[in-house]
Amino acid sequence: MENQTFLSEYPNLEEWYFHRAGQENQKQLFDLCRSLNHSEIQNVSLDISKFLTQIFETTSNLKSDLECLEELCLLQGVEINAIYVKIIESSITENCISQLFEVFKNLAMQSKSAVYCFFSAWMALNTDQLEECIELCDITDVSNSDFKGLAGQANLELQNFEEALACFEAATEEKPLDPIHWFWLAKSAFALNRPEEAWQASMECYKLRPTHVEACLLLGIIASEENFYPDNLIDAWTALWGHLQHTANQGLISGILFEIGFKLEDEDKMIELINQLNFRKLASSSDFSKNLGSILKGLNKQGWFEANKLFIDRYESGINPS
């Protein structure tokens, strides 16, 4: 990581740090800049932790001082929350999050600040501290879709499916245009064996974000497993088809598409699918190998001579390229 990685992303803050900070009585912001000026994320995470701990241990009004810090940064054209996001994400990736989490958790529990409650709950979720994530979401008086989403994901991981469903229902009610909440609602409903609810929520996610691969996969899985109307099958086919050529796991998507194609009893669609597949890559796909027997059985059962012959020819040429 290059030197000044974080600081250099904020030119106004960088200029202030190097040219004016020493002449102004704004020690908190100066210390924050100094922390951001390290080259390694481990050092950044450690110094930010020390910096916030110092505020925590010396303040007489924690919430007021945290708001003051935010205002000081805004004077330099910087949102401190944006800095926090970058540092937390990098700290999680580099596995140096533990001290930062403890500091944010202490700040959250003492200040009840929605910002620090959210960041600490987010860190808890991403480090598998699921019970703490739920607890931290409940500390603040603020109850919005972001907290509901975090608590819902933690409950889903804990297999508290009813609680997760309730969280995501509340989240989608508050933010009906956020596709992520719809997707998690769909997963919760699917885990509770409520395929129609899962289908509706997945469709909402797909309509809002057609590129959401997991939502499209869930649509395909539900359509292939349940006795849905032909229109539902076509919707699932369309959703998955858009990802067929842009996924690293063509074996998984193609397997679901074959199942949907058999239900549609449409040989033309099946031939179109076979012609789109990269059999050379599929030959090394465990998902495709697992489904190979059922695909061949399905093609024979349907009596589709042309599709069956095309599949065998292309499969053999894929595994035995000339």
mmCIF file of all heavy atoms in Angstrom, residues 7 12 15 53 57 61 66 72 84 89 108 139 146 150 162 181 184 231 246 263 269 283 300 311:
data_model
loop_
_atom_site.group_PDB
_atom_site.id
_atom_site.type_symbol
_atom_site.label_atom_id
_atom_site.label_comp_id
_atom_site.label_asym_id
_atom_site.label_seq_id
_atom_site.Cartn_x
_atom_site.Cartn_y
_atom_site.Cartn_z
ATOM 1 N N LEU A 7 -5.025 9.382 3.452
ATOM 2 C CA LEU A 7 -5.033 10.839 3.509
ATOM 3 C C LEU A 7 -5.090 11.467 2.122
ATOM 4 O O LEU A 7 -5.780 12.454 1.901
ATOM 5 C CB LEU A 7 -3.788 11.321 4.265
ATOM 6 C CG LEU A 7 -3.696 12.826 4.553
ATOM 7 C CD1 LEU A 7 -4.873 13.284 5.381
ATOM 8 C CD2 LEU A 7 -2.394 13.133 5.275
ATOM 9 N N ASN A 12 -8.237 18.276 0.440
ATOM 10 C CA ASN A 12 -8.355 19.398 1.370
ATOM 11 C C ASN A 12 -7.768 19.051 2.728
ATOM 12 O O ASN A 12 -7.079 19.865 3.358
ATOM 13 C CB ASN A 12 -9.821 19.805 1.539
ATOM 14 C CG ASN A 12 -10.383 20.419 0.267
ATOM 15 O OD1 ASN A 12 -9.637 20.868 -0.583
ATOM 16 N ND2 ASN A 12 -11.694 20.432 0.133
ATOM 17 N N GLU A 15 -3.925 18.879 2.421
ATOM 18 C CA GLU A 15 -3.320 20.216 2.362
ATOM 19 C C GLU A 15 -3.331 20.862 3.745
ATOM 20 O O GLU A 15 -2.346 21.468 4.176
ATOM 21 C CB GLU A 15 -4.101 21.091 1.368
ATOM 22 C CG GLU A 15 -3.500 22.484 1.207
ATOM 23 C CD GLU A 15 -4.344 23.352 0.282
ATOM 24 O OE1 GLU A 15 -5.310 22.833 -0.310
ATOM 25 O OE2 GLU A 15 -4.024 24.541 0.174
ATOM 26 N N THR A 53 -9.832 6.150 21.582
ATOM 27 C CA THR A 53 -9.771 5.771 22.990
ATOM 28 C C THR A 53 -9.407 6.958 23.861
ATOM 29 O O THR A 53 -9.948 7.137 24.965
ATOM 30 C CB THR A 53 -8.742 4.642 23.203
ATOM 31 O OG1 THR A 53 -9.141 3.497 22.453
ATOM 32 C CG2 THR A 53 -8.628 4.261 24.670
ATOM 33 N N GLU A 57 -11.568 8.324 26.968
ATOM 34 C CA GLU A 57 -11.078 8.332 28.342
ATOM 35 C C GLU A 57 -10.970 9.722 28.957
ATOM 36 O O GLU A 57 -10.930 9.858 30.184
ATOM 37 C CB GLU A 57 -9.709 7.641 28.399
ATOM 38 C CG GLU A 57 -9.778 6.139 28.121
ATOM 39 C CD GLU A 57 -8.424 5.483 28.099
ATOM 40 O OE1 GLU A 57 -7.409 6.223 28.026
ATOM 41 O OE2 GLU A 57 -8.361 4.236 28.135
ATOM 42 N N ASN A 61 -18.051 14.918 27.936
ATOM 43 C CA ASN A 61 -19.304 14.818 27.173
ATOM 44 C C ASN A 61 -18.984 14.110 25.865
ATOM 45 O O ASN A 61 -18.658 14.757 24.862
ATOM 46 C CB ASN A 61 -19.901 16.202 26.928
ATOM 47 C CG ASN A 61 -21.313 16.130 26.341
ATOM 48 O OD1 ASN A 61 -21.649 15.187 25.626
ATOM 49 N ND2 ASN A 61 -22.122 17.133 26.643
ATOM 50 N N LEU A 66 -17.673 13.790 19.995
ATOM 51 C CA LEU A 66 -17.730 13.058 18.728
ATOM 52 C C LEU A 66 -18.382 13.913 17.641
ATOM 53 O O LEU A 66 -17.954 13.897 16.487
ATOM 54 C CB LEU A 66 -18.505 11.751 18.909
ATOM 55 C CG LEU A 66 -17.821 10.685 19.766
ATOM 56 C CD1 LEU A 66 -18.739 9.492 19.972
ATOM 57 C CD2 LEU A 66 -16.499 10.240 19.148
ATOM 58 N N LEU A 72 -15.358 19.336 12.766
ATOM 59 C CA LEU A 72 -14.010 19.762 12.393
ATOM 60 C C LEU A 72 -13.599 19.171 11.048
ATOM 61 O O LEU A 72 -12.960 19.836 10.229
ATOM 62 C CB LEU A 72 -13.008 19.348 13.471
ATOM 63 C CG LEU A 72 -13.047 20.135 14.785
ATOM 64 C CD1 LEU A 72 -12.173 19.470 15.823
ATOM 65 C CD2 LEU A 72 -12.604 21.578 14.558
ATOM 66 N N TYR A 84 -14.059 6.334 8.086
ATOM 67 C CA TYR A 84 -14.294 5.143 8.895
ATOM 68 C C TYR A 84 -14.599 3.927 8.027
ATOM 69 O O TYR A 84 -14.089 2.822 8.274
ATOM 70 C CB TYR A 84 -15.456 5.378 9.855
ATOM 71 C CG TYR A 84 -15.160 6.265 11.044
ATOM 72 C CD1 TYR A 84 -16.185 6.904 11.735
ATOM 73 C CD2 TYR A 84 -13.855 6.459 11.496
ATOM 74 C CE1 TYR A 84 -15.937 7.711 12.831
ATOM 75 C CE2 TYR A 84 -13.583 7.274 12.587
ATOM 76 C CZ TYR A 84 -14.631 7.899 13.253
ATOM 77 O OH TYR A 84 -14.383 8.697 14.335
ATOM 78 N N GLU A 89 -13.357 -1.402 6.378
ATOM 79 C CA GLU A 89 -13.330 -2.401 5.305
ATOM 80 C C GLU A 89 -11.929 -2.993 5.141
ATOM 81 O O GLU A 89 -11.766 -4.217 5.026
ATOM 82 C CB GLU A 89 -13.791 -1.769 3.985
ATOM 83 C CG GLU A 89 -15.294 -1.526 3.915
ATOM 84 C CD GLU A 89 -15.722 -0.909 2.599
ATOM 85 O OE1 GLU A 89 -14.848 -0.308 1.915
ATOM 86 O OE2 GLU A 89 -16.908 -1.015 2.250
ATOM 87 N N ALA A 108 -20.029 3.251 21.141
ATOM 88 C CA ALA A 108 -21.454 3.044 20.873
ATOM 89 C C ALA A 108 -22.241 2.879 22.164
ATOM 90 O O ALA A 108 -23.297 3.502 22.354
ATOM 91 C CB ALA A 108 -21.642 1.819 19.988
ATOM 92 N N ILE A 139 -29.083 -0.841 20.781
ATOM 93 C CA ILE A 139 -28.632 0.135 21.774
ATOM 94 C C ILE A 139 -29.193 1.523 21.505
ATOM 95 O O ILE A 139 -29.677 2.207 22.400
ATOM 96 C CB ILE A 139 -27.086 0.194 21.806
ATOM 97 C CG1 ILE A 139 -26.532 -1.064 22.463
ATOM 98 C CG2 ILE A 139 -26.614 1.417 22.579
ATOM 99 C CD1 ILE A 139 -25.027 -1.133 22.450
ATOM 100 N N ASP A 146 -31.267 0.313 7.992
ATOM 101 C CA ASP A 146 -29.877 -0.145 8.065
ATOM 102 C C ASP A 146 -29.667 -1.055 9.275
ATOM 103 O O ASP A 146 -29.031 -2.111 9.174
ATOM 104 C CB ASP A 146 -28.931 1.055 8.141
ATOM 105 C CG ASP A 146 -28.942 1.871 6.858
ATOM 106 O OD1 ASP A 146 -29.142 1.271 5.789
ATOM 107 O OD2 ASP A 146 -28.752 3.097 6.929
ATOM 108 N N LEU A 150 -28.882 -5.195 9.324
ATOM 109 C CA LEU A 150 -27.785 -5.857 10.031
ATOM 110 C C LEU A 150 -28.307 -6.913 10.998
ATOM 111 O O LEU A 150 -27.805 -8.045 11.037
ATOM 112 C CB LEU A 150 -26.965 -4.815 10.799
ATOM 113 C CG LEU A 150 -26.084 -3.878 9.976
ATOM 114 C CD1 LEU A 150 -25.423 -2.856 10.888
ATOM 115 C CD2 LEU A 150 -25.024 -4.638 9.206
ATOM 116 N N GLU A 162 -37.509 -16.660 11.765
ATOM 117 C CA GLU A 162 -38.685 -15.810 11.978
ATOM 118 C C GLU A 162 -38.261 -14.396 12.338
ATOM 119 O O GLU A 162 -38.832 -13.410 11.841
ATOM 120 C CB GLU A 162 -39.573 -16.390 13.080
ATOM 121 C CG GLU A 162 -40.280 -17.684 12.712
ATOM 122 C CD GLU A 162 -41.458 -17.469 11.764
ATOM 123 O OE1 GLU A 162 -41.731 -16.315 11.401
ATOM 124 O OE2 GLU A 162 -42.097 -18.469 11.398
ATOM 125 N N HIS A 181 -32.385 -5.404 0.734
ATOM 126 C CA HIS A 181 -33.332 -5.842 1.765
ATOM 127 C C HIS A 181 -34.319 -6.865 1.203
ATOM 128 O O HIS A 181 -34.698 -7.818 1.884
ATOM 129 C CB HIS A 181 -34.078 -4.640 2.329
ATOM 130 C CG HIS A 181 -33.215 -3.677 3.093
ATOM 131 N ND1 HIS A 181 -32.201 -4.106 3.921
ATOM 132 C CD2 HIS A 181 -33.202 -2.319 3.145
ATOM 133 C CE1 HIS A 181 -31.601 -3.044 4.460
ATOM 134 N NE2 HIS A 181 -32.189 -1.965 4.002
ATOM 135 N N TRP A 184 -32.540 -10.321 1.049
ATOM 136 C CA TRP A 184 -32.439 -10.992 2.337
ATOM 137 C C TRP A 184 -33.810 -11.436 2.841
ATOM 138 O O TRP A 184 -33.925 -12.466 3.515
ATOM 139 C CB TRP A 184 -31.743 -10.084 3.350
ATOM 140 C CG TRP A 184 -30.277 -9.944 3.083
ATOM 141 C CD1 TRP A 184 -29.622 -8.827 2.657
ATOM 142 C CD2 TRP A 184 -29.277 -10.957 3.220
ATOM 143 N NE1 TRP A 184 -28.287 -9.075 2.504
ATOM 144 C CE2 TRP A 184 -28.043 -10.379 2.846
ATOM 145 C CE3 TRP A 184 -29.300 -12.287 3.611
ATOM 146 C CZ2 TRP A 184 -26.848 -11.094 2.859
ATOM 147 C CZ3 TRP A 184 -28.120 -13.004 3.626
ATOM 148 C CH2 TRP A 184 -26.899 -12.401 3.252
ATOM 149 N N ASP A 231 -45.591 -18.750 -16.592
ATOM 150 C CA ASP A 231 -45.072 -17.368 -16.595
ATOM 151 C C ASP A 231 -43.942 -17.209 -15.588
ATOM 152 O O ASP A 231 -42.966 -16.488 -15.830
ATOM 153 C CB ASP A 231 -46.190 -16.371 -16.290
ATOM 154 C CG ASP A 231 -47.135 -16.189 -17.469
ATOM 155 O OD1 ASP A 231 -46.798 -16.663 -18.578
ATOM 156 O OD2 ASP A 231 -48.197 -15.571 -17.287
ATOM 157 N N HIS A 246 -21.813 -14.398 -18.177
ATOM 158 C CA HIS A 246 -21.037 -13.452 -17.363
ATOM 159 C C HIS A 246 -20.819 -13.981 -15.953
ATOM 160 O O HIS A 246 -20.756 -13.210 -14.997
ATOM 161 C CB HIS A 246 -21.765 -12.106 -17.308
ATOM 162 C CG HIS A 246 -22.152 -11.562 -18.648
ATOM 163 N ND1 HIS A 246 -21.228 -11.034 -19.526
ATOM 164 C CD2 HIS A 246 -23.357 -11.505 -19.279
ATOM 165 C CE1 HIS A 246 -21.852 -10.655 -20.641
ATOM 166 N NE2 HIS A 246 -23.141 -10.930 -20.513
ATOM 167 N N LYS A 263 -39.259 -28.247 -17.526
ATOM 168 C CA LYS A 263 -40.611 -27.922 -17.059
ATOM 169 C C LYS A 263 -41.401 -27.163 -18.117
ATOM 170 O O LYS A 263 -42.618 -27.325 -18.243
ATOM 171 C CB LYS A 263 -40.545 -27.104 -15.766
ATOM 172 C CG LYS A 263 -40.196 -27.928 -14.538
ATOM 173 C CD LYS A 263 -40.456 -27.120 -13.277
ATOM 174 C CE LYS A 263 -40.353 -28.002 -12.043
ATOM 175 N NZ LYS A 263 -40.793 -27.300 -10.821
ATOM 176 N N LYS A 269 -35.837 -23.665 -26.706
ATOM 177 C CA LYS A 269 -35.075 -23.019 -25.646
ATOM 178 C C LYS A 269 -33.888 -23.893 -25.230
ATOM 179 O O LYS A 269 -32.796 -23.398 -24.942
ATOM 180 C CB LYS A 269 -35.966 -22.734 -24.434
ATOM 181 C CG LYS A 269 -36.852 -21.497 -24.569
ATOM 182 C CD LYS A 269 -37.547 -21.180 -23.273
ATOM 183 C CE LYS A 269 -38.357 -19.888 -23.378
ATOM 184 N NZ LYS A 269 -37.520 -18.712 -23.662
ATOM 185 N N ALA A 283 -16.534 -29.017 -18.493
ATOM 186 C CA ALA A 283 -15.975 -30.347 -18.229
ATOM 187 C C ALA A 283 -15.269 -30.399 -16.874
ATOM 188 O O ALA A 283 -15.159 -31.471 -16.265
ATOM 189 C CB ALA A 283 -15.001 -30.732 -19.336
ATOM 190 N N ASN A 300 -33.596 -37.382 -22.755
ATOM 191 C CA ASN A 300 -34.162 -38.641 -23.276
ATOM 192 C C ASN A 300 -35.656 -38.743 -22.984
ATOM 193 O O ASN A 300 -36.450 -39.171 -23.817
ATOM 194 C CB ASN A 300 -33.428 -39.841 -22.669
ATOM 195 C CG ASN A 300 -32.097 -40.104 -23.362
ATOM 196 O OD1 ASN A 300 -32.008 -40.015 -24.583
ATOM 197 N ND2 ASN A 300 -31.082 -40.423 -22.585
ATOM 198 N N PHE A 311 -26.477 -31.917 -27.656
ATOM 199 C CA PHE A 311 -25.822 -31.900 -26.344
ATOM 200 C C PHE A 311 -24.663 -32.905 -26.312
ATOM 201 O O PHE A 311 -23.551 -32.561 -25.884
ATOM 202 C CB PHE A 311 -26.834 -32.253 -25.249
ATOM 203 C CG PHE A 311 -26.250 -32.246 -23.869
ATOM 204 C CD1 PHE A 311 -26.242 -31.089 -23.115
ATOM 205 C CD2 PHE A 311 -25.687 -33.399 -23.314
ATOM 206 C CE1 PHE A 311 -25.690 -31.066 -21.833
ATOM 207 C CE2 PHE A 311 -25.127 -33.391 -22.043
ATOM 208 C CZ PHE A 311 -25.139 -32.220 -21.303
#
